[in-house]
Coordinates of all heavy atoms in Angstrom, one line a residue:
Chain Y
T288 N -78.9 -39.5 -189.2 CA -78.5 -40.8 -189.8 C -77.0 -41.0 -189.7 O -76.5 -42.1 -189.5 CB -78.9 -40.9 -191.3 OG1 -78.5 -39.7 -191.9 CG2 -80.4 -41.1 -191.4
K289 N -76.3 -39.9 -189.8 CA -74.8 -40.0 -189.9 C -74.1 -39.8 -188.6 O -72.9 -39.9 -188.5 CB -74.3 -38.9 -190.9 CG -74.7 -39.0 -192.3 CD -74.0 -40.2 -193.0 CE -74.4 -40.2 -194.4 NZ -73.7 -41.4 -195.1
L290 N -74.9 -39.5 -187.6 CA -74.3 -39.2 -186.3 C -75.1 -40.1 -185.2 O -76.3 -39.9 -185.1 CB -74.5 -37.7 -186.0 CG -73.6 -37.0 -185.1 CD1 -72.1 -37.2 -185.5 CD2 -73.9 -35.5 -185.1
T291 N -74.4 -41.0 -184.6 CA -75.1 -41.8 -183.7 C -74.3 -42.0 -182.4 O -73.1 -42.0 -182.3 CB -75.3 -43.3 -184.3 OG1 -74.0 -43.7 -184.8 CG2 -76.3 -43.3 -185.3
I292 N -75.1 -42.1 -181.3 CA -74.5 -42.5 -180.0 C -74.6 -44.0 -179.8 O -75.7 -44.5 -179.9 CB -75.3 -41.8 -178.9 CG1 -75.1 -40.2 -179.0 CG2 -74.7 -42.2 -177.5 CD1 -75.9 -39.4 -177.9
V293 N -73.5 -44.6 -179.7 CA -73.5 -46.1 -179.8 C -73.1 -46.7 -178.4 O -73.3 -47.9 -178.3 CB -72.5 -46.6 -180.9 CG1 -73.0 -46.2 -182.3 CG2 -71.1 -46.2 -180.6
A294 N -72.7 -45.9 -177.5 CA -72.3 -46.5 -176.2 C -72.3 -45.5 -175.1 O -72.2 -44.3 -175.3 CB -70.9 -47.1 -176.3
A295 N -72.6 -46.0 -173.9 CA -72.5 -45.2 -172.7 C -71.6 -45.9 -171.7 O -71.4 -47.1 -171.8 CB -73.9 -45.0 -172.1
F296 N -70.9 -45.1 -170.8 CA -70.0 -45.7 -169.9 C -70.3 -45.1 -168.5 O -70.7 -43.9 -168.3 CB -68.6 -45.4 -170.2 CG -68.2 -45.9 -171.6 CD1 -68.1 -45.0 -172.7 CD2 -67.9 -47.2 -171.8 CE1 -67.7 -45.5 -173.9 CE2 -67.6 -47.7 -173.0 CZ -67.5 -46.9 -174.1
D297 N -70.1 -45.9 -167.5 CA -70.3 -45.5 -166.1 C -69.5 -46.4 -165.2 O -69.0 -47.4 -165.6 CB -71.8 -45.6 -165.8 CG -72.3 -44.6 -164.7 OD1 -71.8 -44.7 -163.6 OD2 -73.1 -43.7 -165.0
I298 N -69.4 -45.9 -163.9 CA -68.7 -46.7 -162.9 C -69.6 -47.5 -162.0 O -69.3 -48.4 -161.4 CB -67.7 -46.0 -162.0 CG1 -68.3 -44.6 -161.7 CG2 -66.3 -45.9 -162.5 CD1 -67.7 -44.0 -160.4
N299 N -70.8 -46.9 -161.9 CA -71.8 -47.5 -161.0 C -72.3 -48.8 -161.5 O -72.9 -48.9 -162.6 CB -73.0 -46.5 -160.9 CG -74.0 -46.9 -159.8 OD1 -74.1 -48.1 -159.5 ND2 -74.7 -45.9 -159.3
P300 N -72.2 -49.9 -160.7 CA -72.6 -51.3 -161.2 C -74.1 -51.3 -161.5 O -74.5 -52.1 -162.3 CB -72.3 -52.1 -159.9 CG -71.3 -51.4 -159.1 CD -71.5 -49.9 -159.4
D301 N -74.9 -50.5 -160.8 CA -76.3 -50.5 -161.1 C -76.6 -50.0 -162.5 O -77.7 -50.3 -163.1 CB -77.0 -49.5 -160.1 CG -76.9 -50.0 -158.7 OD1 -76.6 -51.2 -158.5 OD2 -77.2 -49.2 -157.8
K302 N -75.7 -49.3 -163.1 CA -76.0 -48.7 -164.5 C -75.4 -49.6 -165.6 O -75.9 -49.6 -166.7 CB -75.5 -47.3 -164.6 CG -75.7 -46.5 -163.4 CD -76.3 -45.2 -163.7 CE -76.8 -44.5 -162.4 NZ -77.2 -43.1 -162.6
V303 N -74.3 -50.3 -165.2 CA -73.5 -51.0 -166.2 C -74.3 -52.2 -166.6 O -75.1 -52.8 -165.9 CB -72.2 -51.4 -165.5 CG1 -71.5 -52.4 -166.4 CG2 -71.3 -50.2 -165.3
N304 N -74.1 -52.6 -167.9 CA -74.8 -53.7 -168.5 C -76.3 -53.6 -168.7 O -77.0 -54.6 -168.8 CB -74.4 -55.0 -167.7 CG -73.0 -55.4 -167.9 OD1 -72.4 -55.1 -168.9 ND2 -72.4 -55.9 -166.8
R305 N -76.7 -52.4 -168.7 CA -78.1 -52.1 -169.0 C -78.2 -51.4 -170.4 O -77.2 -50.8 -170.8 CB -78.8 -51.3 -168.0 CG -78.9 -52.0 -166.7 CD -79.4 -51.0 -165.6 NE -79.5 -51.8 -164.3 CZ -80.6 -52.4 -163.9 NH1 -81.7 -52.2 -164.5 NH2 -80.6 -53.1 -162.8
V306 N -79.3 -51.5 -171.0 CA -79.5 -50.8 -172.3 C -80.5 -49.7 -172.1 O -81.6 -50.0 -171.6 CB -79.9 -51.8 -173.4 CG1 -80.2 -51.0 -174.7 CG2 -78.9 -52.8 -173.6
Y307 N -80.1 -48.5 -172.4 CA -81.1 -47.4 -172.2 C -81.3 -46.7 -173.5 O -80.3 -46.3 -174.2 CB -80.5 -46.4 -171.2 CG -81.5 -45.3 -170.8 CD1 -82.5 -45.6 -169.8 CD2 -81.5 -44.1 -171.4 CE1 -83.5 -44.7 -169.5 CE2 -82.5 -43.1 -171.0 CZ -83.4 -43.4 -170.1 OH -84.4 -42.5 -169.7
A308 N -82.6 -46.6 -173.9 CA -82.9 -46.0 -175.2 C -82.1 -46.6 -176.4 O -81.6 -45.9 -177.3 CB -82.8 -44.5 -175.2
G309 N -81.9 -47.9 -176.3 CA -81.2 -48.6 -177.3 C -79.7 -48.5 -177.3 O -79.0 -49.1 -178.1
V310 N -79.2 -47.9 -176.3 CA -77.7 -47.7 -176.1 C -77.2 -48.5 -174.9 O -77.6 -48.2 -173.8 CB -77.3 -46.2 -176.0 CG1 -75.9 -46.0 -175.8 CG2 -77.8 -45.4 -177.2
P311 N -76.3 -49.4 -175.1 CA -75.7 -50.2 -174.0 C -74.8 -49.4 -173.2 O -74.0 -48.5 -173.7 CB -75.0 -51.3 -174.7 CG -74.6 -50.8 -176.1 CD -75.7 -49.8 -176.4
C312 N -74.9 -49.6 -171.8 CA -74.0 -48.9 -170.9 C -72.9 -49.9 -170.4 O -73.2 -51.0 -169.9 CB -74.7 -48.4 -169.7 SG -73.7 -47.6 -168.5
Y313 N -71.6 -49.6 -170.7 CA -70.5 -50.5 -170.3 C -69.8 -49.9 -169.0 O -69.9 -48.7 -168.8 CB -69.5 -50.6 -171.4 CG -70.1 -51.0 -172.7 CD1 -70.4 -50.1 -173.7 CD2 -70.3 -52.4 -173.0 CE1 -71.0 -50.5 -174.9 CE2 -70.8 -52.8 -174.2 CZ -71.1 -51.9 -175.1 OH -71.7 -52.3 -176.3
H314 N -69.1 -50.7 -168.4 CA -68.2 -50.2 -167.3 C -67.1 -49.4 -167.9 O -66.6 -49.7 -169.0 CB -67.6 -51.4 -166.5 CG -67.0 -50.9 -165.2 ND1 -65.7 -50.5 -165.1 CD2 -67.6 -50.7 -164.0 CE1 -65.5 -50.1 -163.9 NE2 -66.6 -50.2 -163.1
I315 N -66.7 -48.4 -167.2 CA -65.7 -47.5 -167.7 C -64.4 -48.2 -168.0 O -63.6 -47.7 -168.9 CB -65.5 -46.4 -166.6 CG1 -64.6 -45.2 -167.1 CG2 -64.9 -46.9 -165.3 CD1 -65.4 -44.2 -167.9
D316 N -64.1 -49.3 -167.3 CA -62.9 -50.1 -167.6 C -62.8 -50.6 -169.0 O -61.8 -50.9 -169.6 CB -62.8 -51.3 -166.7 CG -62.5 -50.8 -165.2 OD1 -62.2 -49.7 -165.0 OD2 -62.7 -51.7 -164.3
Q317 N -64.0 -50.7 -169.6 CA -64.0 -51.2 -171.0 C -64.0 -50.1 -172.1 O -64.0 -50.3 -173.3 CB -65.3 -52.0 -171.2 CG -65.4 -53.2 -170.3 CD -66.5 -54.1 -170.8 OE1 -67.6 -54.0 -170.3 NE2 -66.2 -55.0 -171.8
M318 N -63.9 -48.8 -171.6 CA -64.0 -47.7 -172.5 C -63.0 -47.8 -173.6 O -63.4 -47.7 -174.8 CB -63.9 -46.4 -171.7 CG -64.2 -45.2 -172.5 SD -64.4 -43.7 -171.5 CE -62.7 -43.3 -171.2
S319 N -61.8 -47.9 -173.2 CA -60.7 -47.9 -174.2 C -61.0 -49.0 -175.3 O -60.9 -48.7 -176.5 CB -59.4 -48.2 -173.5 OG -58.4 -48.4 -174.4
K320 N -61.3 -50.2 -174.8 CA -61.5 -51.3 -175.8 C -62.6 -50.9 -176.7 O -62.5 -51.1 -178.0 CB -61.8 -52.5 -175.0 CG -61.6 -53.8 -175.8 CD -62.1 -55.0 -175.0 CE -63.6 -55.2 -175.2 NZ -64.3 -56.0 -174.3
I321 N -63.8 -50.5 -176.2 CA -65.0 -50.3 -177.0 C -64.8 -49.1 -177.9 O -65.2 -49.1 -179.1 CB -66.2 -50.1 -176.1 CG1 -66.3 -51.4 -175.3 CG2 -67.4 -49.8 -176.9 CD1 -67.7 -51.9 -175.1
I322 N -64.2 -48.0 -177.5 CA -64.0 -46.9 -178.3 C -63.2 -47.3 -179.5 O -63.5 -46.9 -180.7 CB -63.3 -45.7 -177.5 CG1 -64.4 -45.1 -176.6 CG2 -62.8 -44.7 -178.5 CD1 -63.9 -43.9 -175.8
K323 N -62.2 -48.1 -179.3 CA -61.3 -48.5 -180.4 C -62.0 -49.4 -181.3 O -62.1 -49.3 -182.6 CB -60.0 -49.1 -179.9 CG -59.0 -48.1 -179.4 CD -57.8 -48.7 -178.8 CE -56.9 -47.7 -178.2 NZ -55.9 -48.2 -177.2
S324 N -62.7 -50.5 -180.7 CA -63.3 -51.5 -181.6 C -64.5 -50.9 -182.4 O -64.7 -51.3 -183.5 CB -63.7 -52.7 -180.7 OG -64.8 -52.3 -179.9
D325 N -65.2 -50.0 -181.8 CA -66.4 -49.4 -182.4 C -66.0 -48.2 -183.3 O -66.9 -47.6 -183.9 CB -67.5 -49.1 -181.4 CG -68.2 -50.3 -181.0 OD1 -67.7 -51.4 -181.2 OD2 -69.3 -50.1 -180.3
N326 N -64.8 -47.8 -183.2 CA -64.3 -46.7 -184.0 C -65.1 -45.4 -183.6 O -65.6 -44.7 -184.5 CB -64.5 -47.0 -185.5 CG -63.7 -46.0 -186.3 OD1 -62.7 -45.4 -185.8 ND2 -64.0 -45.9 -187.6
I327 N -65.2 -45.2 -182.3 CA -65.9 -44.0 -181.8 C -65.0 -42.8 -181.8 O -63.8 -42.9 -181.4 CB -66.4 -44.2 -180.4 CG1 -67.5 -45.4 -180.4 CG2 -67.0 -43.0 -179.7 CD1 -67.9 -45.8 -179.0
T328 N -65.5 -41.7 -182.4 CA -64.6 -40.5 -182.5 C -64.9 -39.3 -181.6 O -64.1 -38.5 -181.4 CB -64.6 -40.0 -184.0 OG1 -66.0 -39.7 -184.3 CG2 -64.0 -40.9 -184.9
M329 N -66.1 -39.4 -181.0 CA -66.5 -38.2 -180.2 C -67.1 -38.7 -178.9 O -67.7 -39.8 -178.8 CB -67.6 -37.4 -180.9 CG -67.1 -36.8 -182.2 SD -68.4 -35.8 -183.0 CE -69.5 -37.2 -183.5
A330 N -67.0 -37.9 -177.9 CA -67.5 -38.2 -176.5 C -68.2 -37.1 -175.9 O -67.8 -35.9 -176.1 CB -66.3 -38.7 -175.6
I331 N -69.3 -37.4 -175.2 CA -70.1 -36.4 -174.5 C -69.9 -36.7 -173.0 O -70.2 -37.8 -172.5 CB -71.6 -36.5 -174.8 CG1 -71.8 -36.3 -176.3 CG2 -72.4 -35.5 -174.0 CD1 -73.2 -36.6 -176.8

Side-chain angles (χ1 to χ4, degrees):
Chain Y
T288 49
K289 295 289 187 178
L290 206 52
T291 45
I292 297 179
V293 297
F296 301 103
D297 209 296
I298 35 163
N299 186 336
D301 295 344
K302 318 232 167 169
V303 170
N304 292 326
R305 294 173 181 263
V306 175
Y307 189 80
V310 175
C312 180
Y313 305 97
H314 192 274
I315 192 85
D316 289 347
Q317 296 192 268
M318 190 169 79
S319 170
K320 198 187 85 197
I321 301 221
I322 284 181
K323 283 176 183 159
S324 67
D325 283 11
N326 198 21
I327 295 172
T328 52
M329 295 181 292
I331 302 170

